[in-house]
Amino acid sequence: MMDEPWWEGRVASDVHCTLREKELKLPTFRAHSPLLKSRRFFVDTLTLLSSHCQLCPAARHLAVYLLDHFMDRYNITTSKQLYTVAVSCLLLASKFEDREDRVPKLEQINSTRILSSQNVTLTKKELLSTELLLLEAFSWNLCLPTPAHFLDYYLLASVSQKDHHCHAWPTTCPRKTKECLKEYAHYFLEVTLQDHIFYKFQPSVVAAACVGASRICLQLSPYWTRDLQRISNYSLEHLSTPLFR
């Protein structure tokens, strides 16, 4: 089925391997932008806009990735330009990652309180020219793995019948435990957007760490299972730096 999430399909393992190969080729984030101090505000803006438009996490995370790396390479001189680039990143990411009917419309974006409160109004011409600039900057390659691209695949193995609470009793309802763990994991996933330090780690490591941290919060034992190690190819020792330090 075309609408079936890739992580639930028969070729999920192959897709995961391809994403792991692609993440090894991601450019280094240098944190050289003079506007880095404004990053947190614009990440929050993209998060609010994507939530308002009900975009998927992969689109939101790709938008932030595009914004960060574009700012890292190019000089953006005005606040209006930064708003235009940020919204263009969101539009490109939504077109690439989400359903066509969820791609934000210009009227929808300009009418949001997020932009109107800053007296910012964007035009179709500005956005289209900036989208083209972004595509050229990324060599027309938007297949750029982020932690959001790995998380749901790892969540498939996040809870099992063999899990115990740290107090030694078994989980009473794996389904409810998995639902709760998923909420924790997606919360941690969104937290990773707030600091560019997470670019130090490969996206798959960050996603796996979100699952591991969620199991710790729910006091599930062991913290990292054989199934999780098998599906992610990461051991607990490998994740110990982002998880515990």
Side-chain angles (χ1 to χ4, degrees):
M1 293 178 61
M2 294 295 292
D3 293 334
E4 182 183 46
W6 72 263
W7 54 88
E8 295 179 358
R10 289 179 294 178
V11 296
S13 179
D14 294 332
V15 174
H16 176 248
C17 288
T18 300
L19 289 172
R20 291 289 289 268
E21 290 173 3
K22 286 184 176 295
E23 73 176 352
L24 297 176
K25 301 175 184 178
L26 292 174
T28 302
F29 183 73
R30 303 170 301 169
H32 284 176
S33 172
L35 295 174
L36 201 60
K37 61 182 182 297
S38 302
R39 178 188 182 275
R40 182 73 175 268
F41 173 80
F42 281 93
V43 168
D44 287 345
T45 297
L46 286 180
T47 300
L48 290 171
L49 279 173
S50 65
S51 178
H52 178 74
C53 299
Q54 298 182 320
L55 297 180
C56 66
R60 178 164 56 255
H61 281 254
L62 178 57
V64 172
Y65 179 94
L66 295 174
L67 177 63
D68 277 334
H69 283 76
F70 188 82
M71 287 173 58
D72 207 35
R73 296 189 221 170
Y74 299 92
N75 186 27
I76 304 174
T77 56
T78 68
S79 175
K80 175 65 180 296
Q81 286 179 331
L82 192 48
Y83 272 106
T84 306
V85 170
V87 172
S88 296
C89 288
L90 187 67
L91 289 172
L92 276 181
S94 64
K95 291 172 184 177
F96 190 75
E97 294 289 351
D98 220 321
R99 300 200 318 253
E100 184 178 355
D101 61 335
R102 286 190 178 176
V103 176
K105 302 294 188 293
L106 179 59
E107 299 78 11
Q108 185 181 11
I109 292 172
N110 280 329
S111 65
T112 60
R113 187 180 300 176
I114 305 161
L115 295 189
S116 61
S117 64
Q118 301 295 322
N119 294 318
V120 173
T121 302
L122 303 176
T123 67
K124 185 176 182 179
K125 183 178 179 180
E126 288 173 329
L127 292 174
L128 286 176
S129 61
T130 306
E131 283 184 51
L132 181 59
L133 178 64
L134 286 164
L135 287 169
E136 291 175 347
F138 289 95
S139 302
W140 293 77
N141 173 31
L142 297 185
C143 189
L144 303 165
T146 70
H149 290 89
F150 294 94
L151 186 66
D152 286 307
Y153 182 60
Y154 296 159
L155 283 173
L156 292 177
S158 60
V159 175
S160 77
Q161 296 282 355
K162 298 178 182 179
D163 283 341
H164 283 70
H165 286 284
C166 287
H167 299 294
W169 63 79
T171 55
T172 56
C173 182
R175 181 183 59 81
K176 289 184 178 179
T177 301
K178 193 168 186 174
E179 289 175 358
C180 189
L181 190 144
K182 183 178 180 180
E183 290 186 13
Y184 268 108
H186 276 278
Y187 167 76
F188 287 128
L189 183 71
E190 296 311 302
V191 169
T192 65
L193 289 177
Q194 298 301 317
D195 199 318
H196 60 77
I197 194 172
F198 287 96
Y199 286 124
K200 286 186 175 183
F201 308 105
Q202 292 176 1
S204 58
V205 172
V206 176
C210 287
V211 175
S214 300
R215 286 181 61 85
I216 291 172
C217 286
L218 291 178
Q219 296 188 321
L220 297 180
S221 177
Y223 289 147
W224 196 249
T225 66
R226 290 182 180 179
D227 285 342
L228 280 167
Q229 182 167 330
R230 174 186 53 79
I231 200 172
S232 69
N233 293 321
Y234 289 127
S235 65
L236 182 60
E237 289 71 25
H238 194 109
L239 299 177
S240 60
T241 298
L243 273 174
F244 301 119
R245 296 178 187 175

